[in-house]
Amino acid sequence: MSIEAPIESPESKELSLVGKVELRIALVDSDTKLESILKTYLPPLLLKLASDHLTVRNKLPVAALLKQFKDNDNALIRHFDLLYVQQGIDRIPTNDRLSLFPSLIHGLHSNYGESTTHAASLFNLILKVLHSLPLPTRGSADDVAIRAKVGLSESTEDADFVATWLGKLILFNITQAGVKRCPGLSVEDCSFLQVYGKKDTWIPNASGGMSLIETKVLAVKFLSSGAFTDSERFIPALFASADPNSRLSDIGDDILKRAISSISLEDRAFLEKLFTIYLGTRGSEGSLPARASLQTKVLVLLSRSKLASSFVSQCIQIVREGLDPEIETRNGNIGPSKQGLEASKLRGQVFAFTNWLARISSPEDTRAFAPNLVFQLRDYIESQGWPRPQTDGSRPTAADLSSRSYGYESIGLLAAACPDSILLEPNLDILRWLFNSLSADPSGSDISISIEQALGSVIGAFGQDLDSELEAALTALLLRQMTLHPGEADGSNFEIFRSTRFVAVRFANRCLPYRNVTARWMNLLAIGGDANDKGEVKEEGKKGLDPHLYRMSNPFKSSLATNDDATYNARYEFPAFSDLVEKFFGPGAEWDVQRPEGTQVSLQNAYNPAISFCRSILLHHALSSMEKAPGINADWERNIDALVTNDEDSRAYLKNYMKSILTTDRRSREALQTFLAASFRSMAEHIGKDSNLSGESILELASLCPDSVLDELTRNVSHLQNSILSIQKPIRDTATRVFGILASREQCLEETIQSMLQVFDQKIQLWRQAIGTEILQVHGALLATGRFISRVTYRGKMRLKYHELQVTFVTSILDIMSDSRDKLLLDAAVIAFTDLCLFGTILPDKIPPPHSISVVLQKLKELSKTGDEKAIIALGNLAMQCDEFVSQGSTLNNIIQILYDLQDVRQPEVQFAVGSSLSCAAVGWSSKSLIATLGIDGPLPHTPKRETTLPKMFDKVLLDCRATKPALRQASVIWLLCLVQYCGHLEDSQIRLRKCQSTFKGFLSDRESLNQESASRGLTLVYEKGNRSLKDDLIRDLVGSFTGTSAGLAGNVSDETQLFEPGALPTGEGSVTTYKDIMSLASEVGDPGLVYRFMSLASNNAIWSSRAAFGRFGLSNILSDSSVDGYLAQNPKLYPALFRYRFDPNTNVRQSMNDIWNALVKDPAAIIARHFDSIIDDLLRSILGKEWRVRQASCTAIADLVQGTPLEKYEKYLSQIWTVTFKVCDDIKDSVRIAAMSLAKALTGVLTRSLEAADASTHSANKMLKEVVPFLLSPSGLESSAKEVQAFALLTLLQIIKSSNGRTLRPFVPRLIGHLLALLSSLEPAEVNYIHLNAGQYDLTTQQIDDARLNSVRGSPMMEAIERCLDILDEETMAVLCPSLENAIKTAIGLPSKVGSTRALVSLSTRHNYIFKKYADQFLRLVRKQVLDRNETVSSSYAVGCGYLARLASEGEILNLVRYCQGLYFDSDDDRHRSVSGDIIYAFSKKATDRFNSIASDILPFVFIAKHDASERVKDFFQDTWNENVGGSRAVLLYLKEIINLGSRHLDSPRWSVKHTSALAIADVISPSGSEISDSNARMISPALEKAAGGKTWEGKEIILQSLVRFVKTSNILSLDEGIAKHIQTIFLRESKRNNPGYRRHALVCLGDFVELQRTTDLFPQVYSITEPIIIQALDSSDEMDVDSSSKDLSSKLLSEISLANSLGTLLKSIDPQLQSESVVLSSLSQSLDLLDKAISANGSRAVLDSIYDAEKGLFERLNIQDQTSLTAPLEEVLVGYVKTMFTQHDRVEQTRMKAAEASVAMVPLAHKSKRIALALGHAIIAAREEERSVSIQHCLDRVQEVLEA
């Protein structure tokens, strides 16, 4: 008996075969046998790789083959090894596949060197394995270990190789057939990635193929893991960040943010890679340039590397290709298309790169590339059309204009960076081109601004000393630009579109030396103005003429030169006076003085400024030669005036200088004469404004120059006649004085003088009759005659013919003084009298009769008492001609007494005039007040000698100063001041200086501020006038008086003596008005001598500055005393107080203290640095002082101190500074608050600049932030009760956030975000809440207001700051932020904070998902608790936040969210919660679509049910969710089971809304199920649908019955289960019995439909029992009043008609001959007919008849189905009755009549079976036909009749 062998399984058979083959191969001992065996067995062996059994497939040793490949050098073996590995790797288990990863990577770099084909295959295998590689969470321990796990830690070369090719994979994108390379990759690269021709590599559906997009995403994720270092993955990440696919770019951006810090942008190898990426490699096989987006990213990096500028050729190529994107195409190198938005961004970055190159490149590199780039940029602009763009009539595009604008700016920067080879060439081609562009390019204001910026950039290149050729070329170019006007054509035939005058004059001021005469002429052209010139052109012209402003615009650049050296800088040299005059007024000049008289003078507005400029230059040259020229400062011209007017030494030297140049320098002599002629012409012809100033120049030079210089002017003296008789007073005054000087000269023609004097005399003689302009002419004639006679007297040429004129004239002026009441004539007479007295023409004892000296004095006395200063001066000048007598009755004494009697005139100006007159009366021409009065080159006139007048006057005035009468005291102290000022140089004054000092000191305590100021000024003058011994004695006496050690001086002053009352130096509530404050500075340093220096404070009062005699004194000379330096060196306490006083709120105090500071402190920076601590301590103490002015000054002082001071100096004070700053920001005084805010802004500015600086300032910035940020967030900052403080703290914080780099700000981010979120609500205006509460009063809804608040939050600067903070987060900071953010969300109160919190979560979920992912579950749970906020806007915002968080949350947490939403919907008692649930689900589906789809089966059933909610808002949420996530209506079948289960479960809900929604949802599954429902689905649906139909009626329940009808119709449910059929039948019958009329009408229809659908049971009895009561009730109520019903839009009558119609229709439908016996049919028809007759007769409405006829048609058709050939008589009888119902008199509607006709058609077959029926039908049709109006119905009836007759 044989035993059957066990049957071997197929798997065992295949394993056995493979094992045998392996054995055969192993036993081979020769190559021949091996070849034979391989030919036989290798093909079938390879087929086993496709085995169905895993163990068979695994039999191929992939790992061993791979190891053999790595270890073997034989090419053939390696080839087959790799081939088998490729075949088997997809078939081995995932774990085995992952174990190959290290082996695949090991030696990959060397494999590439051996065979690129093998390396490509290995890299492809790596990518395949990568699809199975699980990547750990970033930052975890597994992430740190993954580098070693995958084998990348063994060789940096392999790691770099893999990273490099992963980067190339990201760039790889072959989209067109036949294209062998793509942007950024060469042909070889693309071949490598395609495994050298393996076509299926990137076809996902092919065997072994992969999805390129998914592989790229995996590659980028792999790069972001710990497998690679930052340096290895940086460039691949750069590629990914520029990819258009956001899945790649988001990860790439994240990697770049983390890796940028580890990359050195100054590494040459790295930069070479960047340039290669950008430009590609040349040749048909080389790599193409990168895409535009990647090029833009590369340029951003290059623009941060200084070394990159040394790649000259590459930089040039980048710019060239950026300007002409098609250049590569023309060169045959087909690159990526550069169009659209990315191209525009790239071009903008190219220009930015160009600008950066110009700024950062070394001079050598700049010289290498700048000329080429400038040429290309210029060519680019000209290619667009130049100077006008060529646009074919259309406007240039915004992109074109932007590029053009960038082009101009770049040209300017490059040209400025390399001026020697671009700008400074003989023809000035580029500069000329830019000027032409500015004048003729009409592209728009933006373009003109760019051109002006370009010109502004190059302006500095001309600041160096130019050679003569270049200077001449530049001068000619600028002068040409000054003459161009819009609308004209220039030399190149370009129409001038805009003026270039401003730029040209600015160039002239900045590029040409001050000595350049043509440049100064251009300044005058600018001042002269043009019709189109703006004010800035004139202002720039004035700057060029002012040497101080010129130097400010052109600071001395040499760091080795001192300030003194700068003075001698050749660039600052003044132009030669002769050159100026020759340019302005010489032969051929614009204002040639040789032109004929009457010639129109152009540029009149510039004429007199030219005169003034030439005059100042002449005097400056003269004063410079004596080393007494004033410093070049803002008061340069005024200081010249002061020296010329008041300084005797200067005047004496000027006279010698003028005499020297006139005798030794012919050119200077001619220039001076030309200048005088030009000045004379201006005055004579009234050229321009202020032509009188030209006359002043003549008068000034006439007093300084030899008399012979006036010869030419003397010959033209007649030209002054019109000016003398002018209506303008200044011109008359100046012209008469010039006339007096010129006409009195010997060289003046007698005929001319006589003629003019005759005219003047005629005018004078008519003074009594003169009116209007005649009075003005008399005024001029009086002044001219008086000044002529006085000067003639002085010159000693008073001949007989003038004597008569003199007598007549003196008589006339005395007559006018006596009789005239006209103020102008009186003034003229007094001035003429004054001049005659001054020069001795009128003597007191020679007054012509009938006048007398006593009468004259009385008149002058009367005028003087009215405050007429001219009369007072006249008294003084008259007194000069009086002899000195002892007797009290002398004229001199009378005049002096008259002057003394003017003490009661309480006008300070009058008293100063009295003081001047007293000095003249006392010493005559020795008085300093007459220094500049003579006006003629010559000796002083003779006056009577004085011996006793001055001593008496001094004694008298000193005595009066002690008087008690206030007016006398005030007058006396002013007189004493004038006497010291004007006579202090005389011996009689010197011996009384100590008394004067004592007297002045006594006035320091006077109540009158003017007295105090006069005394203060007087003390300073006394100190100046005295010698060293006297100064020391005065100091000693002063010290004694204050210390109490000496009583030698009267009028001791206490510390509390008030010096300045409000009105003179108004400084407010503080004690600065006392003498103690003024003395404090001197007391602190222990130098009593400073008392006198500080008395000069009062000199800043307006009264001093208004008078030349007092306004010319500065403090620098006084304070330059060497003893001051000695004291200050030993007593540094002065500096803190003095530094603070420099910022005093009072202007006068501030100016004075600045003068003192400038005089004392020669090196402010060194002094401040040395005494910084004491200064800042004093300021911090004073800023919280009691006096507001001290607080205000301290604020300003601290602001000045910290700006420009290194942080290290004040770091320890920083917190204290901020604290006190914010305290005074809430000061009670408004001005202090303003100063405090300015200080806060200054501190913010310092901090912001520090934050914006490069890495060098990072340490300082960190220190400042550590102090400032906590303070700003403290109760002293953002939480302050002061709104101003709170607002500024916020503004400061926002600026800090905006300016800081990530590394600096990151430690503060967690705290900042929490505070800023809270502030969003706290800083919302209270008015918003009020409007929200009272929205109805403003015709608004709360939702509209909330929407506006939401938009406000979105655009809020605080929200931008929050986003900025989030952008700089890293993983470590994120961990710290989470608790802070969680607390902010929990504690948020207002809508803004809550919405802001949501936006922060959204930002974290989208832009920072890698570092936020691990916290997503935590915040999703938190937000779930917040989403039920009472405010719908807030709730919706949190719902959106849930949607975004769902992107990152775990699946379990998402399911919890779904369950939470279901709980809100199904279980909550608050109806609003259902809306919240819908909002969350919709946001989830919208914002996290992928995650939503992944759990769709868990969500969509719930969504389907909820979309049937009765609330429209809730319904819309779920409906939109369903529509956007479901492909079509049939999708319901996918979730049918879940929907039925979920809906059935909630049909038992105690909440009616949920119960109804579930029922409607179950009902709605029928329609999408199609025309046929499967039996299984039917069994599933049936119980739920039956359950839904249960219960009492509710609005909408009819939908359930309708769906049940559809369910019965589309399924076999009635035949499947008899029990179910019975149950459904019961449902329809039950629901039809409901008492609700509105619902019952639908139930009856559904019952009728069901009866038609089921044909197994006779339901007529049940239907009849239901409908008969309804019909009877309806017929009984037909006459009742029509009232509203509970059904919508239906009245009770209409509702009754519909119910009647539906009942009749259902009743007729229930008659089924197939289910009933003949007798039953007859009975049913009879019963029904009775009801029909009643209904038609009682209520023959359209609805009822339509229903009857439709039902009759169906009934007749069912009766026709019977096989009967004839009908019984009873049946005939009944049917005849039905015939009668079809055509009634009520049939008035066409549709109803048509239905009746159609029913008759269905009756025809029955009529054929019964003649009686036929006869009745025929008669009815004939009758109906006769009355029928409708053609269509007529045709129908005709057909019926024809059939009957047939």
Side-chain angles (χ1 to χ4, degrees), residues 972-987:
S972 298
V973 73
I974 293 176
W975 298 342
L976 182 60
L977 177 64
C978 292
L979 290 176
V980 172
Q981 175 69 28
Y982 298 136
C983 307
H985 59 289
L986 300 176
E987 184 179 356

Side-chain angles (χ1 to χ4, degrees), residues 1249-1267:
R1249 288 190 295 274
S1250 177
L1251 294 174
E1252 290 175 345
D1255 292 340
S1257 299
T1258 301
H1259 180 65
S1260 299
N1262 285 334
K1263 287 184 177 179
M1264 295 181 75
L1265 284 183
K1266 287 179 182 178
E1267 295 287 343

Side-chain angles (χ1 to χ4, degrees), residues 1003-1017 1058-1061 1073 1098:
F1003 276 93
L1004 292 177
S1005 61
D1006 198 275
R1007 295 180 59 84
E1008 289 289 337
S1009 60
L1010 180 62
N1011 296 354
Q1012 296 173 14
E1013 293 169 359
S1014 300
S1016 174
R1017 179 64 177 169
Q1058 187 175 349
L1059 270 181
F1060 303 107
E1061 290 193 13
T1073 55

Side-chain angles (χ1 to χ4, degrees), residues 1025-1060:
K1025 298 294 182 181
N1027 55 30
R1028 171 54 59 185
S1029 174
L1030 179 60
K1031 290 179 180 180
D1032 293 340
D1033 289 344
L1034 291 175
I1035 292 173
R1036 196 177 303 110
D1037 289 341
L1038 185 63
V1039 171
S1041 66
F1042 277 99
T1043 58
T1045 58
S1046 171
L1049 295 176
N1052 288 346
V1053 181
S1054 68
D1055 287 348
E1056 299 303 323
T1057 299
Q1058 187 175 349
L1059 270 181
F1060 303 107

Side-chain angles (χ1 to χ4, degrees), residues 153-193:
S153 60
E154 298 179 4
S155 171
T156 56
E157 291 182 342
D158 289 339
D160 188 63
F161 180 87
V162 173
T164 300
W165 279 101
L166 288 176
K168 292 183 178 182
L169 174 67
I170 295 169
L171 293 177
F172 179 69
N173 189 22
I174 296 294
T175 57
Q176 299 178 5
V179 177
K180 297 182 179 180
R181 54 181 176 163
C182 53
L185 299 180
S186 65
V187 173
E188 171 63 23
D189 294 337
C190 293
S191 299
F192 182 93
L193 293 171

Side-chain angles (χ1 to χ4, degrees), residues 714-769:
T714 304
R715 288 191 287 271
N716 297 320
V717 70
S718 60
H719 296 167
L720 292 175
Q721 181 168 317
N722 290 335
S723 298
I724 292 171
L725 302 178
S726 171
I727 62 174
Q728 298 181 38
K729 185 178 179 181
I731 293 178
R732 289 199 306 273
D733 183 68
T734 305
T736 55
R737 286 192 286 155
V738 173
F739 173 76
I741 293 174
L742 297 181
S744 63
R745 299 183 72 247
E746 292 285 351
Q747 291 80 3
C748 189
L749 296 176
E750 291 292 335
E751 295 81 2
T752 303
I753 297 175
Q754 291 293 339
S755 174
M756 296 180 70
L757 291 176
Q758 186 176 0
V759 173
F760 298 154
D761 186 58
Q762 292 174 356
K763 301 288 185 183
I764 294 171
Q765 297 308 316
L766 297 176
W767 69 270
R768 297 180 187 277
Q769 296 83 23

Side-chain angles (χ1 to χ4, degrees), residues 1414-1601:
K1414 66 171 72 174
Y1415 308 100
D1417 287 1
Q1418 170 187 344
F1419 281 96
L1420 184 55
R1421 289 191 295 271
L1422 175 63
V1423 173
R1424 282 209 315 256
K1425 300 175 183 178
Q1426 312 299 323
V1427 80
L1428 297 179
D1429 195 274
R1430 290 180 299 173
N1431 186 291
E1432 290 187 2
T1433 302
V1434 173
S1435 177
S1436 181
S1437 178
Y1438 279 127
V1440 172
C1442 286
Y1444 279 103
L1445 287 168
R1447 291 184 175 186
L1448 308 179
S1450 64
E1451 185 171 336
E1453 195 57 44
I1454 292 177
L1455 291 175
N1456 288 338
L1457 176 65
V1458 175
R1459 285 191 287 271
Y1460 175 75
C1461 293
Q1462 291 179 352
L1464 284 179
Y1465 189 89
F1466 292 121
D1467 302 331
S1468 177
D1469 293 327
D1470 191 340
D1471 291 342
R1472 198 175 67 85
H1473 289 180
R1474 303 203 310 276
S1475 175
V1476 172
S1477 175
D1479 205 350
I1480 296 175
I1481 292 297
Y1482 180 69
F1484 178 25
S1485 70
K1486 196 78 173 174
K1487 309 305 180 185
T1489 307
D1490 293 343
R1491 304 303 301 275
F1492 185 90
N1493 291 336
S1494 66
I1495 58 171
S1497 60
D1498 296 297
I1499 305 177
L1500 288 178
F1502 164 55
V1503 172
F1504 181 81
I1505 289 175
K1507 80 185 184 78
H1508 296 86
D1509 196 276
S1511 168
E1512 287 297 324
R1513 176 176 172 81
V1514 178
K1515 179 179 179 180
D1516 288 343
F1517 278 130
F1518 287 104
Q1519 185 70 58
D1520 291 342
T1521 304
W1522 179 266
N1523 292 341
E1524 293 176 12
N1525 291 277
V1526 172
S1529 61
R1530 299 280 293 176
V1532 174
L1533 298 177
L1534 296 174
Y1535 312 104
L1536 182 60
K1537 182 178 180 180
E1538 292 83 355
I1539 292 172
I1540 295 298
N1541 292 337
L1542 187 62
S1544 299
R1545 189 164 66 248
H1546 290 95
L1547 286 174
D1548 298 324
S1549 172
R1551 296 166 185 82
W1552 285 107
S1553 58
V1554 175
K1555 184 192 295 286
H1556 297 165
T1557 300
S1558 301
L1560 291 173
I1562 292 173
D1564 195 34
V1565 301
I1566 306 301
S1567 296
S1569 299
S1571 60
E1572 185 176 346
I1573 299 177
S1574 66
D1575 294 346
S1576 59
N1577 287 343
R1579 291 182 184 277
M1580 187 190 308
I1581 295 172
S1582 177
L1585 198 54
E1586 292 172 9
K1587 188 175 182 181
K1592 61 183 181 180
T1593 60
W1594 42 274
E1595 187 176 347
K1597 185 179 179 183
E1598 63 273 7
I1599 298 174
I1600 310 299
L1601 294 181

